[in-house]
Amino acid sequence: MKFFKSVIEEMKLVTWPSRKKLVKDVITVIQSTILFALFFAAVDFLLAKLSYLGLKGL
């Protein structure tokens, strides 16, 4: 029980972000995820094409 009491006390000390800040951070995470996905998809596509061209020459 001491553990749970400590957890509750610690949670009271947490500074929670405002709704506006939270929405801004979520949008940033979504945008970053989409950009990384597009980047890796492009790299994968290019490497696959290069690999295909390399095998075609054999």
Side-chain angles (χ1 to χ4, degrees), residues 1-2 6 10-11 13-16 31 33 35 41:
M1 293 306 271
K2 185 178 178 184
S6 296
E10 284 296 321
M11 291 301 289
L13 299 175
V14 173
T15 304
W16 298 99
Q31 288 175 338
T33 302
L35 286 174

Side-chain angles (χ1 to χ4, degrees), residues 5-51:
K5 195 174 191 178
S6 296
V7 169
I8 291 170
E9 289 175 16
E10 284 296 321
M11 291 301 289
K12 289 178 182 178
L13 299 175
V14 173
T15 304
W16 298 99
S18 67
R19 181 175 177 84
K20 185 177 180 179
K21 173 83 168 121
L22 182 64
V23 169
K24 183 180 176 186
D25 289 348
V26 168
I27 290 171
T28 301
V29 168
I30 292 170
Q31 288 175 338
S32 299
T33 302
I34 290 170
L35 286 174
F36 277 111
L38 291 173
F39 171 76
F40 286 118
V43 169
D44 181 55
F45 177 78
L46 290 173
L47 290 176
K49 285 293 182 185
L50 289 173
S51 175

